[in-house]
Amino acid sequence: MKRKIVEKVIGVPAIDGAGVHLVRILGPDQVERFDPFLMLDAFDSYHPAEYTKGFPFHPHRGIETLTYLIKGRIEHQDSLGNRGVIDDGESQWMTAGSGIIHQEMPKATAHLLGLQLWINLPKNHKMTEPKYFNITADKIKEVNEPFGKIKLIAGKYKDIEASRGEYVDALIMDIRLNPEESFSMPTDNEANLFVYIVEGSAGFGEEDDAMVRSKIAIRFNMEDEFYSKAGEEGVRFMLFAAHPLKEPIAWGGPIVMNSRKELQETFNELQTGTFIKYKAKT
């Protein structure tokens, strides 16, 4: 059966980091329903002054982050000695694990367009060793279809496989549909699935659904088929799916653990300088 819409979340303008203007789509209010996805921030700006102050050094523990840039450039570095760049059409999957301190600094470009997704780590892997997986443009599988184009960032589509998460096996797709074209695919009926509309509008589920516009996330019920149809201007949306963890969540700023006690222990470690468990690799 086709998945049906069960929730729509309208993005709210926000300012984070040292003054980055963004649209916050998902956060603590939605965390249980979108499990294992925690937070989704979207970037869409033509004005460098709105984002070039970036996200200076800050800690993370207990989560993974996926940064995906449609357009733009972000420089990053961290407490492990890593340093690099995310460019147009590239993605980076970071496992914060036991703790990492990093910074992300968007550079001035004609158009910054992309997103950052936070994925919860299972309880047994909260304190795993931090690591990065850079999903460069050559690792993203691009599929041309009669209805449009799909970029497979993670997971499997038809017989095509892309990168896979080590702790949460997520399906992540960048889907573009031509005007008034439709798209459907089978889905795992035990996975939470939601989409975020980047540009344009689309209907989902029943063909007479009202068009849903950009900057909105849509969560669906658990069925075995996903269906969408683009509006008259076409649509671009991100699709995310993964099995829920169904574990307790204790969230404090950039730290996500399973209990308030674990959160307090983390904050104590930040104050005493014992937060970092793995040294920089030389």
Side-chain angles (χ1 to χ4, degrees):
M1 293 181 64
K2 290 179 182 177
R3 287 181 179 248
K4 297 183 182 297
I5 295 173
V6 293
E7 182 176 5
K8 297 177 186 177
V9 182
I10 299 173
V12 178
I15 298 177
D16 207 340
V20 178
H21 293 245
L22 51 83
V23 177
R24 179 140 296 158
I25 314 299
L26 303 180
D29 291 344
Q30 294 84 27
V31 64
E32 292 183 0
R33 302 189 301 279
F34 282 75
D35 180 18
F37 304 109
L38 296 167
M39 192 179 82
L40 179 65
D41 284 345
F43 313 106
D44 186 359
S45 177
Y46 295 91
H47 308 291
E50 293 183 348
Y51 58 79
T52 50
K53 291 182 180 179
F55 303 92
F57 283 106
H58 58 281
H60 283 299
R61 174 178 283 179
I63 66 169
E64 298 187 285
T65 65
L66 179 94
T67 305
Y68 177 56
L69 279 186
I70 296 171
K71 297 177 183 178
R73 181 181 178 87
I74 296 177
E75 294 182 354
H76 64 88
Q77 58 179 304
D78 66 33
S79 54
L80 298 178
N82 295 305
R83 182 187 296 265
V85 174
I86 309 169
D87 272 320
D88 285 0
E90 295 187 335
S91 181
Q92 181 193 71
W93 195 311
M94 182 189 80
T95 302
S98 64
I100 197 168
I101 296 175
H102 76 150
Q103 72 171 4
E104 300 149 302
M105 305 301 289
K107 311 311 289 183
T109 58
H111 186 192
L112 179 68
L113 181 63
L115 55 88
Q116 185 174 92
L117 176 75
W118 288 16
I119 305 169
N120 201 10
L121 275 172
K123 181 178 180 179
N124 292 340
H125 299 290
K126 288 282 188 188
M127 298 298 286
T128 193
E129 181 176 359
K131 66 186 76 172
Y132 282 97
F133 179 60
N134 293 313
I135 307 175
T136 50
D138 59 297
K139 293 187 176 84
I140 295 176
K141 310 297 183 181
E142 190 166 303
V143 186
N144 290 308
E145 297 278 26
F147 52 76
K149 182 177 291 187
I150 290 174
K151 287 188 174 183
L152 181 64
I153 300 162
K156 184 176 182 179
Y157 170 68
K158 294 184 175 178
D159 59 349
I160 302 164
E161 290 198 42
S163 307
R164 303 191 86 97
E166 184 175 350
Y167 306 106
V168 172
D169 188 8
L171 173 64
I172 302 174
M173 306 169 74
D174 174 357
I175 300 172
R176 281 175 282 178
L177 303 183
N178 297 327
E180 300 184 340
E181 290 283 355
S182 61
F183 164 67
S184 64
M185 69 174 190
T187 60
D188 182 342
N189 63 9
E190 295 183 357
N192 261 337
L193 184 151
F194 81 96
V195 303
Y196 169 69
I197 301 180
V198 178
E199 299 171 320
S201 63
F204 300 91
E206 299 301 327
E207 292 191 31
D208 59 353
D209 274 351
M211 292 288 112
V212 184
R213 60 179 175 81
S214 63
K215 307 296 185 290
I216 292 177
I218 304 141
R219 183 173 63 89
F220 298 83
N221 67 344
M222 292 183 175
E223 292 291 354
D224 57 13
E225 182 184 359
F226 171 80
Y227 170 86
S228 59
K229 183 175 181 180
E232 58 184 15
E233 74 275 45
V235 70
R236 183 172 197 164
F237 62 88
M238 302 294 301
L239 183 147
F240 307 94
H243 283 202
L245 298 179
K246 299 180 181 179
E247 294 178 351
I249 295 171
W251 188 340
I255 312 298
V256 182
M257 303 302 288
N258 296 108
S259 69
R260 300 301 302 180
K261 179 181 177 182
E262 290 171 335
L263 274 185
Q264 190 58 56
E265 289 172 351
T266 300
F267 295 140
N268 289 342
E269 289 177 6
L270 284 166
Q271 290 180 343
T272 59
T274 57
F275 174 74
I276 296 297
K277 306 302 180 184
Y278 293 87
K279 295 180 180 180
K281 296 179 180 178
T282 56

PDB file of all heavy atoms in Angstrom, residues 8-12 23-25 213-217:
ATOM      1  N   LYS A   8       3.165  17.023   8.810  1.00  0.00           N
ATOM      2  CA  LYS A   8       3.919  18.022   8.070  1.00  0.00           C
ATOM      3  C   LYS A   8       4.570  18.972   9.074  1.00  0.00           C
ATOM      4  O   LYS A   8       3.918  19.404  10.019  1.00  0.00           O
ATOM      5  CB  LYS A   8       3.016  18.819   7.128  1.00  0.00           C
ATOM      6  CG  LYS A   8       2.348  17.988   6.042  1.00  0.00           C
ATOM      7  CD  LYS A   8       1.401  18.857   5.205  1.00  0.00           C
ATOM      8  CE  LYS A   8       0.625  18.010   4.202  1.00  0.00           C
ATOM      9  NZ  LYS A   8      -0.355  18.835   3.437  1.00  0.00           N
ATOM     10  N   VAL A   9       5.847  19.269   8.849  1.00  0.00           N
ATOM     11  CA  VAL A   9       6.567  20.185   9.733  1.00  0.00           C
ATOM     12  C   VAL A   9       7.081  21.345   8.894  1.00  0.00           C
ATOM     13  O   VAL A   9       7.868  21.146   7.960  1.00  0.00           O
ATOM     14  CB  VAL A   9       7.747  19.492  10.439  1.00  0.00           C
ATOM     15  CG1 VAL A   9       8.446  20.478  11.379  1.00  0.00           C
ATOM     16  CG2 VAL A   9       7.271  18.262  11.210  1.00  0.00           C
ATOM     17  N   ILE A  10       6.638  22.547   9.217  1.00  0.00           N
ATOM     18  CA  ILE A  10       7.049  23.741   8.488  1.00  0.00           C
ATOM     19  C   ILE A  10       8.348  24.272   9.092  1.00  0.00           C
ATOM     20  O   ILE A  10       8.438  24.484  10.301  1.00  0.00           O
ATOM     21  CB  ILE A  10       5.960  24.823   8.533  1.00  0.00           C
ATOM     22  CG1 ILE A  10       4.683  24.299   7.878  1.00  0.00           C
ATOM     23  CG2 ILE A  10       6.431  26.096   7.829  1.00  0.00           C
ATOM     24  CD1 ILE A  10       3.496  25.225   8.026  1.00  0.00           C
ATOM     25  N   GLY A  11       9.347  24.478   8.246  1.00  0.00           N
ATOM     26  CA  GLY A  11      10.623  24.987   8.712  1.00  0.00           C
ATOM     27  C   GLY A  11      10.501  26.389   9.296  1.00  0.00           C
ATOM     28  O   GLY A  11       9.712  27.209   8.828  1.00  0.00           O
ATOM     29  N   VAL A  12      11.304  26.636  10.334  1.00  0.00           N
ATOM     30  CA  VAL A  12      11.282  27.926  11.025  1.00  0.00           C
ATOM     31  C   VAL A  12      12.633  28.611  10.850  1.00  0.00           C
ATOM     32  O   VAL A  12      13.675  28.010  11.134  1.00  0.00           O
ATOM     33  CB  VAL A  12      10.995  27.728  12.529  1.00  0.00           C
ATOM     34  CG1 VAL A  12      11.028  29.062  13.257  1.00  0.00           C
ATOM     35  CG2 VAL A  12       9.656  27.035  12.731  1.00  0.00           C
ATOM     36  N   VAL A  23      17.179  27.448   8.103  1.00  0.00           N
ATOM     37  CA  VAL A  23      15.801  27.038   8.379  1.00  0.00           C
ATOM     38  C   VAL A  23      15.863  25.745   9.181  1.00  0.00           C
ATOM     39  O   VAL A  23      16.424  24.741   8.721  1.00  0.00           O
ATOM     40  CB  VAL A  23      14.996  26.823   7.079  1.00  0.00           C
ATOM     41  CG1 VAL A  23      13.589  26.329   7.414  1.00  0.00           C
ATOM     42  CG2 VAL A  23      14.927  28.115   6.277  1.00  0.00           C
ATOM     43  N   ARG A  24      15.351  25.788  10.407  1.00  0.00           N
ATOM     44  CA  ARG A  24      15.341  24.588  11.255  1.00  0.00           C
ATOM     45  C   ARG A  24      14.055  23.822  10.978  1.00  0.00           C
ATOM     46  O   ARG A  24      12.945  24.303  11.220  1.00  0.00           O
ATOM     47  CB  ARG A  24      15.449  24.964  12.728  1.00  0.00           C
ATOM     48  CG  ARG A  24      15.426  23.761  13.669  1.00  0.00           C
ATOM     49  CD  ARG A  24      16.410  23.943  14.793  1.00  0.00           C
ATOM     50  NE  ARG A  24      17.783  23.993  14.338  1.00  0.00           N
ATOM     51  CZ  ARG A  24      18.775  24.549  15.045  1.00  0.00           C
ATOM     52  NH1 ARG A  24      18.532  25.090  16.217  1.00  0.00           N
ATOM     53  NH2 ARG A  24      20.010  24.542  14.569  1.00  0.00           N
ATOM     54  N   ILE A  25      14.241  22.626  10.466  1.00  0.00           N
ATOM     55  CA  ILE A  25      13.087  21.807  10.082  1.00  0.00           C
ATOM     56  C   ILE A  25      12.682  20.875  11.217  1.00  0.00           C
ATOM     57  O   ILE A  25      11.536  20.846  11.649  1.00  0.00           O
ATOM     58  CB  ILE A  25      13.413  20.969   8.825  1.00  0.00           C
ATOM     59  CG1 ILE A  25      14.093  21.821   7.744  1.00  0.00           C
ATOM     60  CG2 ILE A  25      12.151  20.315   8.290  1.00  0.00           C
ATOM     61  CD1 ILE A  25      13.282  22.972   7.244  1.00  0.00           C
ATOM     62  N   ARG A 213       4.496  22.623  -0.514  1.00  0.00           N
ATOM     63  CA  ARG A 213       5.527  23.529  -1.015  1.00  0.00           C
ATOM     64  C   ARG A 213       6.870  23.286  -0.341  1.00  0.00           C
ATOM     65  O   ARG A 213       7.000  22.426   0.540  1.00  0.00           O
ATOM     66  CB  ARG A 213       5.086  24.975  -0.792  1.00  0.00           C
ATOM     67  CG  ARG A 213       4.836  25.326   0.665  1.00  0.00           C
ATOM     68  CD  ARG A 213       4.431  26.773   0.854  1.00  0.00           C
ATOM     69  NE  ARG A 213       4.072  27.074   2.228  1.00  0.00           N
ATOM     70  CZ  ARG A 213       4.942  27.322   3.195  1.00  0.00           C
ATOM     71  NH1 ARG A 213       6.237  27.290   2.939  1.00  0.00           N
ATOM     72  NH2 ARG A 213       4.531  27.598   4.415  1.00  0.00           N
ATOM     73  N   SER A 214       7.864  24.096  -0.763  1.00  0.00           N
ATOM     74  CA  SER A 214       9.218  23.942  -0.251  1.00  0.00           C
ATOM     75  C   SER A 214       9.327  24.379   1.209  1.00  0.00           C
ATOM     76  O   SER A 214       8.459  25.063   1.740  1.00  0.00           O
ATOM     77  CB  SER A 214      10.196  24.752  -1.105  1.00  0.00           C
ATOM     78  OG  SER A 214       9.905  26.130  -1.032  1.00  0.00           O
ATOM     79  N   LYS A 215      10.452  23.959   1.823  1.00  0.00           N
ATOM     80  CA  LYS A 215      10.787  24.248   3.235  1.00  0.00           C
ATOM     81  C   LYS A 215       9.847  23.556   4.214  1.00  0.00           C
ATOM     82  O   LYS A 215       9.634  24.013   5.330  1.00  0.00           O
ATOM     83  CB  LYS A 215      10.809  25.766   3.503  1.00  0.00           C
ATOM     84  CG  LYS A 215      11.708  26.547   2.538  1.00  0.00           C
ATOM     85  CD  LYS A 215      13.160  26.175   2.674  1.00  0.00           C
ATOM     86  CE  LYS A 215      14.073  27.038   1.808  1.00  0.00           C
ATOM     87  NZ  LYS A 215      13.951  26.803   0.367  1.00  0.00           N
ATOM     88  N   ILE A 216       9.299  22.419   3.774  1.00  0.00           N
ATOM     89  CA  ILE A 216       8.422  21.623   4.630  1.00  0.00           C
ATOM     90  C   ILE A 216       8.910  20.176   4.633  1.00  0.00           C
ATOM     91  O   ILE A 216       9.308  19.638   3.595  1.00  0.00           O
ATOM     92  CB  ILE A 216       6.954  21.683   4.140  1.00  0.00           C
ATOM     93  CG1 ILE A 216       6.389  23.093   4.338  1.00  0.00           C
ATOM     94  CG2 ILE A 216       6.085  20.661   4.857  1.00  0.00           C
ATOM     95  CD1 ILE A 216       4.975  23.272   3.829  1.00  0.00           C
ATOM     96  N   ALA A 217       8.898  19.549   5.808  1.00  0.00           N
ATOM     97  CA  ALA A 217       9.202  18.128   5.940  1.00  0.00           C
ATOM     98  C   ALA A 217       7.891  17.370   6.095  1.00  0.00           C
ATOM     99  O   ALA A 217       6.951  17.848   6.741  1.00  0.00           O
ATOM    100  CB  ALA A 217      10.106  17.874   7.133  1.00  0.00           C
TER     101      ALA A 217
END
